[in-house]
Amino acid sequence: MSGNATRIAVIGAGRMGQVHCRIVSENPRAALSAVIDPFEEGGRRAAAQYGAPWYSSLQDALDAIELDGVIIAVPDRLHVDVTVEALEAGLHVLVEKPLADTLEGARTIAAAAARATDAKVLVGHVLRHDPRFRSAAKIVASGHIGDPVHFRASRIVPRSVGFANRGASPIYMYQGIHDIDLVQWITGSPIVRVSATTAAKILPAAEVDGLDVALILAELENGAVGTIEVSWVLPESTPSGLASQFDLYGTDGNLKVDVTAEGISLDTLDDYRLPNTMLDPELDGRLEGVVPQQFDYFLQMIEFDLPSRIGLEEAVSAARVLDAIDESLRTRAWAAVRS
Amino acid sequence: MSGNATRIAVIGAGRMGQVHCRIVSENPRAALSAVIDPFEEGGRRAAAQYGAPWYSSLQDALDAIELDGVIIAVPDRLHVDVTVEALEAGLHVLVEKPLADTLEGARTIAAAAARATDAKVLVGHVLRHDPRFRSAAKIVASGHIGDPVHFRASRIVPRSVGFANRGASPIYMYQGIHDIDLVQWITGSPIVRVSATTAAKILPAAEVDGLDVALILAELENGAVGTIEVSWVLPESTPSGLASQFDLYGTDGNLKVDVTAEGISLDTLDDYRLPNTMLDPELDGRLEGVVPQQFDYFLQMIEFDLPSRIGLEEAVSAARVLDAIDESLRTRAWAAVRS
Amino acid sequence: MSGNATRIAVIGAGRMGQVHCRIVSENPRAALSAVIDPFEEGGRRAAAQYGAPWYSSLQDALDAIELDGVIIAVPDRLHVDVTVEALEAGLHVLVEKPLADTLEGARTIAAAAARATDAKVLVGHVLRHDPRFRSAAKIVASGHIGDPVHFRASRIVPRSVGFANRGASPIYMYQGIHDIDLVQWITGSPIVRVSATTAAKILPAAEVDGLDVALILAELENGAVGTIEVSWVLPESTPSGLASQFDLYGTDGNLKVDVTAEGISLDTLDDYRLPNTMLDPELDGRLEGVVPQQFDYFLQMIEFDLPSRIGLEEAVSAARVLDAIDESLRTRAWAAVRS
Amino acid sequence: MSGNATRIAVIGAGRMGQVHCRIVSENPRAALSAVIDPFEEGGRRAAAQYGAPWYSSLQDALDAIELDGVIIAVPDRLHVDVTVEALEAGLHVLVEKPLADTLEGARTIAAAAARATDAKVLVGHVLRHDPRFRSAAKIVASGHIGDPVHFRASRIVPRSVGFANRGASPIYMYQGIHDIDLVQWITGSPIVRVSATTAAKILPAAEVDGLDVALILAELENGAVGTIEVSWVLPESTPSGLASQFDLYGTDGNLKVDVTAEGISLDTLDDYRLPNTMLDPELDGRLEGVVPQQFDYFLQMIEFDLPSRIGLEEAVSAARVLDAIDESLRTRAWAAVRS
């Protein structure tokens, strides 16, 4: 269906960029028109694997071909320039989370997006596309649990994720961004103060300079309080690739979301598994789950003029909370989130 | 996107037909071109609600407009004629399960489909589109649990479903068709013999002429044995609208699928719920879950020439098993499935 | 506290007999006065381990020492003679399940017990001492679920249990006796007809002459129907040593008992476990759980004149159902339970 | 068995005192010899219900009868005097948790216990008798999860508990004492620093002067960090009377304990329940579960000279942590636990 297919370039051919290349190439309603990466070897390899031309920069690609949109999967600290460039070129943009690695960067992108009035922008908070969290947000917004009183958000991933990160991104940013966004989105109230602590035993023992876990006490504008717990300490053999829960207690009821298991368990002669059937299963030879659904939603935003599922101001707000966590850890005291 | 939209008529404006009307009308890649039902009042009402013209018959619709495909949601006993008519008119067909209410009817449709070589045909076994069962089938096909030894399929629904059915369709057909298909699909082996029993206390007490439960012992061609349990006895207030599990034990391991809960629980001042987030949640004002996904797959079959996820011979095979269950209940003995 | 301790002999020094020796010796309110086994080597070894004298027969023991009660843990087919002998000697008796391996044997023991009016007799249906099943029985007896409509009893154990059994006892007797008793106890209604089937792939592949699984359709006197599923196919590495559920659906509600997990999971670098905390954990160096609780109840029956938690006629009734299952498997037809 | 029965007086005839009266009177190995309460009406009523004499003070009882031990269930702030009096009278003592409402009180009792070398003392931390937590402590002590890295302890109870408390005891003392003890017992490491926050919406709306929830960040001496969450916000209709979990993540694995459900669910026409089968079920007309098991253990301590399952220094240590939480809430800063 190349006639109607939306023309997409993936910028950044690292691990996540390659996932996006695969997703675009497997979607019959899209065409992977380019893979863009300044590192020629990796860029060419990914491009060849998915049958697209390679370019070393967005400008080179734009000089050579026509594009409708881009997916930005470069390292966090490089988000700002290329995202602004794409927006100024009039392209639709799906940019990986976190929007930027600094509050200033996030604000710069938001300002550029505000100027690019014809461009569709979707920040890659994939959980915004998970029907479990979407249901939770709907239930809370409908008033079923009344006024939020307290919450608990927990996200524990295998230690290999921490080893792979090599201390590049603190865990409260790398993983915590998901939970910060969940809390603010589902409760509908911003985090205004945080107190945090951390521990590090497993990564240092492996000579990786990073934290094992970050724990955050948070106070919301609406008077509710909660904890955010992010860690990468699960054994590699753990049955589920993720142990994640979000519990919210309100004046009229409470809500639990647990995405650790998804309805299947597999118990074999040498292993016990909780296979992932919703986050990113491979079925019929294609990736499915929330990341392809996010991309499909991006296509629908472009094709049918749908609104984003996450506002840019919400992505900026999450960056503000990260800033305050940094400060709390530095000062060993409560830190206010700057508005 | 009406220029490219696939033109669909829904035939049958009953409860399930209305669901299909909604799904078609909410899909931006499809157009609900007609609602067809011989009962003018119900047909016009559904048509008006979803902004489509009403016709009393498929022939009338075909005389007036152009169609790409139809969704057939008439009562089970009326499936054969209209499905054959649609196929002979060259239309793509999505027909609700069971394919037909008799083995002969199922065979007639299969023969018509075999003649209509250009038509895409999808039988509405929605669980074929559920990622949990698709994952299970993939895991078993990959050999992870070895050779199947025994299984248990259980499907318990609220008693209101039985009351609404009013004895029109025996429970082992109405609900059991799902599990018969699951067993044969996931194990890859046909059921060859059955022994069944039933009980009826709740429906008779409400003066409905029907069974509460059917229990079936089944033997597969590959030597495995299992039970199928279908009942509509859950209290209306039950937390989940469905209690359903499929367990398969093999020579090298075992697999459990439980679709009773989907990751959320809601506990309010007057209720406890396990909200449905995958089967058919309403999110952002639209129906989502396996029924819309089934329709989207039907659209992709048409647009991108994809194969059906269930062969017609598989739907016919399920009809054969229903026949044998009937016989076992009549004779109070084991019954062989006729090939 | 040897002055007040109840004097117990354990008869049978096999695997289960040794468990009883340990339990008696760990209970400060009892004294292990003798270990009795005709096989001198095993008998002497167990006796030495638990600091008790060995005797080759009950008569020898009675000639030498004084006893209050015995625990009978000889092979099933040897239950009758020694149990009758103990009862006729005026001893209190805790006899392992099944009461006997034939209906006639069970009746003989019941008759002897009826004559021994001063003896306390407890048949070792340990689940009668599990608070979960006791709660279930109380809930059903209290009418909370109304009149039973259908049930499902499932008991899957590791394949090593089947290998160890070496075909000595068919699985529907060895494991099924638990579920037959549960069904009749909790529903309060006897099983009157059964239809059964089996499969065997794993044991034969290991050259053990036995079944992997038995599946039983059962009809109760009260009109309810259900399935009993017993198998020993779990991989040795399975997280829980037992996968067992009992579900009962009634006219006014339903009840689920799941004793597969008991509140703890342990996930280590090389394993995932659901440790057993209620069936038979070792805590503070002692065995705890239902088997010691059964023994403690036996002591209380003796000391405080408490009634048995299971009547002998109930144990005989379970033997009747085993007989009917045998017949159904032989005839490939429904079999009536003889009264 | 009154000849051998251990003679017990219950001091305090409030809600918990009456539970103890019942437990003592239902235990055939104990005799309820006295109910002691300065409030004559309540004291006489409880005494009459359980067939024991009433006394207005321990001294009056000792002047009239002989006692082996006492159970102290007076209000927290009155623990010190009566516990010291009992110890000085040479009685064995089971004293409800918390040991005292102040650190000084706890130390006074500990000193008196140290002087009363013949008296057995058991502080009523009932979870020390729960096989799930005992198993957890054993697993951690055995090194299965390596060195603790982080933990999460959560205890949510129905709001009626908060309403009944009427602000008498802050929730972090009333409920949190359980979790403080669990953390220190199971990790084997004391809490050294805390940062806490609270919220209050439900109790104030009902004009009760108290907190709905307290959240505590805790740092252990061994470098691990964790959260303690205690709240009484569950709706009265909640399926389980308690939602409680303890998760501990270590360098070599992790452990989850969840005591919210105990293996049974009951779904009726108007309700959904997770009946309590281990904490305090009533079975065969008697209370069972951890509170009677705690009392039975107290009897065994007396009769067979067993050690307490919780040292007095451990109960004092929990009081120290409560002190630090108080300070952290007052100062809005991290507070060190004084040694």
Side-chain angles (χ1 to χ4, degrees):
Chain A
M1 194 214 183
S2 57
N4 293 318
T6 302
R7 295 160 299 183
I8 301 289
V10 171
I11 309 180
R15 196 187 61 78
M16 200 61 208
Q18 292 175 48
V19 170
H20 285 296
C21 287
R22 175 170 180 186
I23 287 168
V24 175
S25 68
E26 288 178 352
N27 191 313
R29 296 183 170 115
L32 181 66
S33 298
V35 175
I36 299 170
D37 198 302
F39 298 100
E40 181 164 355
E41 189 185 328
R44 281 201 186 276
R45 196 179 326 113
Q49 179 170 2
Y50 296 104
W54 164 78
Y55 299 96
S56 71
S57 72
L58 175 55
Q59 190 53 57
D60 282 1
L62 288 172
D63 289 347
I65 58 171
E66 286 192 55
L67 290 174
D68 298 309
V70 293
I71 299 176
I72 295 173
V74 298
D76 299 351
R77 69 195 147 70
L78 304 177
H79 276 193
V80 179
D81 288 352
V82 71
T83 306
V84 171
E85 182 184 356
L87 288 167
E88 292 182 345
L91 296 172
H92 304 295
V93 173
L94 167 50
V95 53
E96 268 298 336
K97 62 86 202 165
L99 180 54
D101 67 333
T102 64
L103 178 50
E104 288 61 37
R107 284 172 166 154
T108 302
I109 292 174
R115 290 191 304 269
T117 48
D118 288 343
K120 294 288 181 182
V121 183
L122 183 61
V123 186
H125 285 266
V126 287
L127 301 184
R128 295 274 186 151
H129 303 274
D130 186 314
R132 296 163 294 189
F133 291 112
R134 294 170 64 209
S135 293
K138 177 186 171 187
I139 286 167
V140 175
S142 304
H144 287 301
I145 67 159
D147 187 20
V149 177
H150 67 101
F151 66 86
R152 180 186 344 110
S154 174
R155 180 172 311 276
I156 325 274
V157 301
R159 52 187 69 183
S160 58
V161 180
F163 292 145
N165 185 265
R166 298 175 161 280
S169 187
I171 187 165
Y172 52 87
M173 177 183 293
Y174 190 90
Q175 295 288 332
I177 187 79
H178 287 298
D179 298 286
I180 292 165
D181 182 54
L182 281 182
V183 167
Q184 300 195 132
W185 168 38
I186 295 177
T187 66
S189 182
I191 294 171
V192 291
R193 270 178 302 278
V194 294
S195 174
T197 189
T198 65
K201 298 189 179 186
I202 296 171
L203 287 190
E207 300 191 348
V208 175
D209 179 26
L211 303 167
D212 292 344
V213 58
L215 302 179
I216 299 144
L217 277 190
E219 299 179 343
L220 303 190
E221 193 176 74
N222 68 8
V225 295
T227 54
I228 295 175
E229 173 196 51
V230 283
S231 109
W232 34 39
V233 304
L234 291 183
E236 284 315 295
S237 60
T238 200
S240 174
L242 172 70
S244 174
Q245 298 176 305
F246 179 74
D247 288 40
L248 179 58
Y249 298 84
T251 53
D252 295 341
N254 57 78
L255 179 79
K256 284 178 95 72
V257 184
D258 189 332
V259 301
T260 303
E262 299 178 343
I264 297 199
S265 60
L266 172 64
D267 175 24
T268 63
L269 296 183
D270 51 16
D271 204 11
Y272 180 77
R273 294 271 114 204
L274 297 168
N276 166 357
T277 64
M278 278 180 274
L279 284 185
D280 54 7
E282 181 178 319
L283 291 169
D284 295 331
R286 289 164 53 170
L287 276 189
E288 298 204 359
V290 292
V291 186
Q293 280 167 25
Q294 172 181 261
F295 178 60
D296 197 66
Y297 191 78
F298 181 55
L299 288 183
Q300 292 191 50
M301 285 171 64
I302 297 171
E303 203 174 347
F304 308 113
D305 194 30
L306 298 190
S308 175
R309 280 186 175 147
I310 171 168
L312 274 165
E313 73 289 353
E314 294 177 286
V316 172
S317 172
R320 279 195 195 99
V321 177
L322 289 174
D323 235 35
I325 294 170
D326 265 334
E327 180 186 329
S328 172
L329 289 173
R330 258 193 340 265
T331 60
R332 294 274 301 155
W334 284 91
V337 176
R338 288 173 295 157
S339 60
Chain B
M1 194 211 181
S2 57
N4 293 317
T6 302
R7 295 159 300 183
I8 301 290
V10 171
I11 309 180
R15 196 186 62 79
M16 201 61 208
Q18 292 175 49
V19 170
H20 285 295
C21 286
R22 177 170 178 186
I23 287 168
V24 175
S25 68
E26 287 177 354
N27 191 312
R29 296 183 170 115
L32 180 65
S33 298
V35 174
I36 299 170
D37 197 304
F39 297 100
E40 182 165 356
E41 190 185 328
R44 280 199 187 278
R45 197 181 322 115
Q49 180 170 2
Y50 295 105
W54 163 79
Y55 299 96
S56 70
S57 71
L58 175 56
Q59 191 53 59
D60 281 3
L62 289 172
D63 290 346
I65 59 171
E66 285 192 53
L67 290 174
D68 298 308
V70 293
I71 298 176
I72 294 174
V74 298
D76 299 350
R77 66 194 149 70
L78 303 178
H79 276 193
V80 181
D81 288 353
V82 71
T83 306
V84 171
E85 182 184 357
L87 288 167
E88 292 182 345
L91 296 171
H92 304 296
V93 173
L94 167 51
V95 52
E96 268 297 336
K97 62 86 206 164
L99 181 55
D101 67 332
T102 65
L103 179 50
E104 288 63 34
R107 284 171 166 155
T108 301
I109 291 174
R115 290 191 303 270
T117 48
D118 288 343
K120 293 289 181 183
V121 183
L122 183 61
V123 185
H125 284 266
V126 287
L127 301 184
R128 295 274 186 151
H129 304 273
D130 187 313
R132 296 163 294 189
F133 291 113
R134 292 170 64 208
S135 294
K138 178 186 170 188
I139 286 167
V140 176
S142 305
H144 287 301
I145 67 159
D147 186 21
V149 177
H150 67 101
F151 66 86
R152 182 187 340 113
S154 174
R155 181 171 309 278
I156 325 275
V157 300
R159 51 188 69 185
S160 57
V161 180
F163 292 145
N165 185 264
R166 299 176 160 279
S169 187
I171 188 166
Y172 53 87
M173 176 182 294
Y174 190 89
Q175 295 289 332
I177 188 78
H178 287 298
D179 298 286
I180 291 166
D181 183 54
L182 281 183
V183 167
Q184 301 196 132
W185 168 39
I186 295 177
T187 65
S189 183
I191 294 172
V192 292
R193 271 179 301 280
V194 294
S195 174
T197 188
T198 64
K201 297 188 180 188
I202 296 171
L203 286 191
E207 301 191 348
V208 174
D209 179 25
L211 303 166
D212 292 344
V213 58
L215 302 180
I216 299 144
L217 277 190
E219 298 179 344
L220 303 190
E221 194 176 72
N222 68 7
V225 295
T227 54
I228 296 175
E229 173 195 50
V230 284
S231 110
W232 35 37
V233 304
L234 290 184
E236 284 315 295
S237 59
T238 200
S240 174
L242 172 69
S244 174
Q245 298 175 305
F246 179 74
D247 287 39
L248 179 57
Y249 298 84
T251 52
D252 294 342
N254 58 78
L255 180 79
K256 285 179 94 72
V257 185
D258 189 331
V259 300
T260 303
E262 298 178 343
I264 297 199
S265 60
L266 173 63
D267 175 25
T268 63
L269 297 182
D270 51 17
D271 204 12
Y272 180 77
R273 293 272 113 205
L274 297 168
N276 166 357
T277 64
M278 279 180 272
L279 284 185
D280 54 8
E282 181 178 317
L283 291 169
D284 295 331
R286 288 163 55 169
L287 276 188
E288 297 203 1
V290 291
V291 187
Q293 280 168 24
Q294 172 181 260
F295 178 60
D296 198 65
Y297 191 78
F298 181 55
L299 288 183
Q300 292 191 49
M301 285 171 64
I302 296 171
E303 204 174 346
F304 307 112
D305 194 29
L306 298 190
S308 175
R309 280 187 176 147
I310 172 168
L312 274 165
E313 73 289 355
E314 294 177 286
V316 172
S317 173
R320 280 196 194 99
V321 177
L322 289 175
D323 233 37
I325 294 170
D326 264 335
E327 181 188 327
S328 172
L329 289 173
R330 260 195 336 269
T331 60
R332 294 274 301 155
W334 284 91
V337 176
R338 287 173 294 157
S339 60
Chain C
M1 193 214 183
S2 57
N4 294 318
T6 302
R7 297 160 300 184
I8 301 290
V10 171
I11 309 180
R15 196 187 63 79
M16 200 62 208
Q18 291 174 49
V19 170
H20 285 295
C21 287
R22 176 171 179 185
I23 287 168
V24 175
S25 68
E26 288 177 353
N27 191 314
R29 296 183 170 115
L32 180 65
S33 299
V35 174
I36 299 170
D37 197 303
F39 297 101
E40 181 165 356
E41 189 185 328
R44 280 199 186 278
R45 197 182 321 117
Q49 180 170 2
Y50 296 105
W54 163 79
Y55 299 96
S56 71
S57 71
L58 175 57
Q59 191 54 56
D60 282 1
L62 289 172
D63 289 347
I65 59 170
E66 285 192 54
L67 289 174
D68 297 309
V70 294
I71 298 177
I72 295 173
V74 299
D76 298 351
R77 68 196 147 69
L78 303 178
H79 276 193
V80 179
D81 288 354
V82 72
T83 306
V84 170
E85 183 184 356
L87 289 167
E88 292 182 346
L91 296 171
H92 303 295
V93 173
L94 167 50
V95 52
E96 267 299 336
K97 63 84 203 165
L99 180 55
D101 67 332
T102 65
L103 179 50
E104 288 62 37
R107 283 171 167 155
T108 302
I109 292 174
R115 291 191 303 270
T117 48
D118 288 343
K120 293 289 181 183
V121 183
L122 183 61
V123 185
H125 285 267
V126 286
L127 301 184
R128 296 274 186 150
H129 304 273
D130 187 314
R132 296 164 293 189
F133 291 113
R134 293 169 65 207
S135 293
K138 178 186 170 186
I139 286 168
V140 176
S142 304
H144 287 301
I145 67 158
D147 186 20
V149 177
H150 68 102
F151 65 87
R152 181 186 344 111
S154 173
R155 181 172 309 277
I156 325 274
V157 300
R159 51 188 68 185
S160 59
V161 180
F163 293 145
N165 184 264
R166 300 177 159 279
S169 187
I171 188 166
Y172 51 89
M173 177 182 292
Y174 191 89
Q175 295 289 333
I177 188 78
H178 287 298
D179 298 285
I180 292 166
D181 183 54
L182 281 183
V183 167
Q184 300 196 132
W185 167 39
I186 295 177
T187 66
S189 182
I191 294 172
V192 291
R193 270 179 303 279
V194 294
S195 173
T197 188
T198 64
K201 297 189 179 187
I202 295 170
L203 287 191
E207 300 191 351
V208 175
D209 179 26
L211 303 167
D212 291 344
V213 58
L215 302 180
I216 299 144
L217 277 191
E219 299 178 343
L220 302 190
E221 194 176 74
N222 67 8
V225 295
T227 53
I228 295 175
E229 173 195 51
V230 283
S231 109
W232 34 38
V233 304
L234 290 183
E236 283 316 293
S237 60
T238 200
S240 174
L242 172 70
S244 174
Q245 298 175 305
F246 179 75
D247 287 39
L248 179 58
Y249 298 85
T251 53
D252 294 342
N254 57 77
L255 179 79
K256 285 180 95 71
V257 185
D258 189 331
V259 300
T260 303
E262 299 178 343
I264 297 198
S265 60
L266 172 63
D267 174 25
T268 62
L269 296 184
D270 51 16
D271 204 12
Y272 180 77
R273 294 270 112 205
L274 296 168
N276 166 358
T277 64
M278 278 181 271
L279 284 186
D280 54 8
E282 181 177 318
L283 291 169
D284 295 332
R286 289 164 54 171
L287 277 188
E288 298 205 359
V290 292
V291 186
Q293 280 168 23
Q294 172 182 262
F295 178 60
D296 198 66
Y297 191 78
F298 181 57
L299 289 183
Q300 291 191 49
M301 285 172 64
I302 297 170
E303 203 174 346
F304 307 113
D305 194 28
L306 297 190
S308 175
R309 281 186 175 148
I310 172 168
L312 274 165
E313 72 289 353
E314 296 178 286
V316 172
S317 172
R320 279 195 194 98
V321 177
L322 289 175
D323 234 37
I325 293 170
D326 265 334
E327 181 187 327
S328 171
L329 289 174
R330 263 197 331 270
T331 60
R332 294 274 302 157
W334 284 91
V337 175
R338 287 173 295 156
S339 60
Chain D
M1 197 214 180
S2 56
N4 294 317
T6 302
R7 296 158 302 183
I8 301 289
V10 171
I11 309 181
R15 194 187 62 78
M16 200 62 208
Q18 292 175 47
V19 169
H20 285 295
C21 287
R22 177 171 178 187
I23 287 169
V24 175
S25 68
E26 287 177 353
N27 191 313
R29 297 184 170 114
L32 181 66
S33 298
V35 175
I36 299 170
D37 198 303
F39 297 100
E40 182 165 357
E41 189 184 328
R44 280 199 187 276
R45 197 182 320 117
Q49 180 171 2
Y50 296 104
W54 163 78
Y55 299 96
S56 71
S57 71
L58 175 57
Q59 191 54 57
D60 282 2
L62 289 172
D63 290 345
I65 59 171
E66 285 192 52
L67 289 174
D68 298 308
V70 294
I71 298 176
I72 295 174
V74 299
D76 298 350
R77 69 196 146 70
L78 304 177
H79 276 194
V80 179
D81 287 353
V82 72
T83 305
V84 170
E85 183 184 357
L87 289 167
E88 292 182 345
L91 296 172
H92 304 296
V93 173
L94 167 50
V95 53
E96 268 297 336
K97 62 85 204 165
L99 181 54
D101 68 332
T102 65
L103 178 51
E104 289 63 36
R107 284 172 166 154
T108 302
I109 291 174
R115 290 190 304 270
T117 47
D118 288 343
K120 294 289 181 182
V121 183
L122 183 61
V123 186
H125 284 267
V126 286
L127 301 184
R128 294 274 187 151
H129 304 274
D130 187 312
R132 296 165 293 191
F133 291 112
R134 292 170 65 208
S135 293
K138 178 186 171 188
I139 286 168
V140 176
S142 304
H144 288 301
I145 68 158
D147 186 20
V149 177
H150 67 102
F151 66 86
R152 181 186 341 113
S154 174
R155 181 172 309 277
I156 325 275
V157 300
R159 50 188 69 185
S160 58
V161 180
F163 293 144
N165 185 266
R166 299 177 160 279
S169 187
I171 188 166
Y172 52 88
M173 176 183 293
Y174 190 90
Q175 296 289 333
I177 188 77
H178 287 299
D179 298 286
I180 291 165
D181 182 54
L182 282 182
V183 167
Q184 301 196 131
W185 168 38
I186 295 178
T187 65
S189 183
I191 294 172
V192 292
R193 271 179 301 278
V194 295
S195 174
T197 187
T198 64
K201 297 190 179 186
I202 296 171
L203 287 191
E207 301 190 349
V208 175
D209 179 26
L211 303 167
D212 292 344
V213 58
L215 302 180
I216 299 144
L217 276 190
E219 298 178 344
L220 303 190
E221 194 176 74
N222 68 8
V225 295
T227 54
I228 296 176
E229 174 196 52
V230 284
S231 109
W232 34 38
V233 304
L234 291 183
E236 284 316 293
S237 59
T238 200
S240 173
L242 171 70
S244 174
Q245 298 176 305
F246 179 74
D247 287 38
L248 178 58
Y249 299 84
T251 52
D252 294 342
N254 57 78
L255 180 80
K256 285 179 94 71
V257 185
D258 189 332
V259 301
T260 304
E262 298 177 343
I264 297 198
S265 61
L266 172 63
D267 176 24
T268 63
L269 296 184
D270 51 17
D271 204 10
Y272 180 77
R273 293 272 113 205
L274 296 168
N276 166 357
T277 64
M278 277 180 273
L279 284 184
D280 55 7
E282 182 179 317
L283 292 169
D284 295 331
R286 288 163 56 170
L287 276 188
E288 298 203 359
V290 291
V291 187
Q293 280 167 24
Q294 172 182 259
F295 178 60
D296 198 65
Y297 191 79
F298 181 56
L299 289 182
Q300 292 191 49
M301 285 171 65
I302 297 171
E303 204 175 344
F304 308 112
D305 194 29
L306 298 191
S308 175
R309 281 186 175 147
I310 171 169
L312 274 165
E313 74 289 353
E314 296 178 286
V316 172
S317 172
R320 279 195 195 99
V321 177
L322 289 175
D323 235 37
I325 294 171
D326 266 333
E327 181 188 328
S328 172
L329 289 174
R330 259 193 339 267
T331 60
R332 294 272 303 154
W334 284 92
V337 176
R338 286 173 295 158
S339 59

